Amino acid sequence: MEHTERFNRIYDETRDDLLRYLMLRTSAAPEAEDLFQEVYQRFYRRMTRGALPILDAKRYLFAIAKKVLAQYYREAAERKEAEQPILTDDP
């Protein structure tokens, strides 16, 4: 129960800033909301793992967000490249 209460408190303190950050860096709200959920899922898994404690939750969340954004844009670029037609000089 301790993890849930701490997570809820951190979520309440950081959700607006994190959502704003993701909205500004993505092209559409649905993508930002999906990334928002992914960030908090990763954060919660890390909290419950029982490893070293997270000293600055907001900084840690934004570090996760940067990684999630990088993965999002990398995958988007790969999809775009895969959709490009292959041009050949063969008649």
Side-chain angles (χ1 to χ4, degrees):
M1 193 67 169
E2 175 186 323
H3 293 298
T4 303
E5 291 172 5
R6 182 165 184 244
F7 176 81
N8 288 338
R9 182 181 51 77
I10 292 168
Y11 178 84
D12 290 340
E13 293 171 359
T14 59
R15 70 174 171 234
D16 293 338
D17 292 336
L18 186 62
L19 186 56
R20 186 177 310 114
Y21 174 79
L22 293 169
M23 292 285 263
L24 290 172
R25 284 161 178 76
T26 57
S27 57
E31 284 83 5
E33 291 170 358
D34 290 344
L35 298 175
F36 179 79
Q37 289 179 6
E38 177 66 24
V39 169
Y40 279 107
Q41 286 175 351
R42 289 185 186 190
F43 179 73
Y44 188 78
R45 281 193 300 261
R46 168 61 174 77
M47 275 183 64
T48 58
R49 231 186 289 150
L52 295 174
I54 299 169
L55 301 177
D56 187 346
K58 187 172 184 177
R59 183 177 289 175
Y60 193 79
L61 281 164
F62 276 83
I64 295 171
K66 288 177 184 178
K67 291 176 185 175
V68 167
L69 279 167
Q71 180 181 359
Y72 167 76
Y73 280 111
R74 185 173 41 255
E75 290 173 357
E78 290 171 0
R79 281 192 305 273
K80 185 176 180 181
E81 185 177 320
E83 293 171 356
Q84 296 295 323
I86 298 176
L87 303 175
T88 62
D89 293 335
D90 295 336

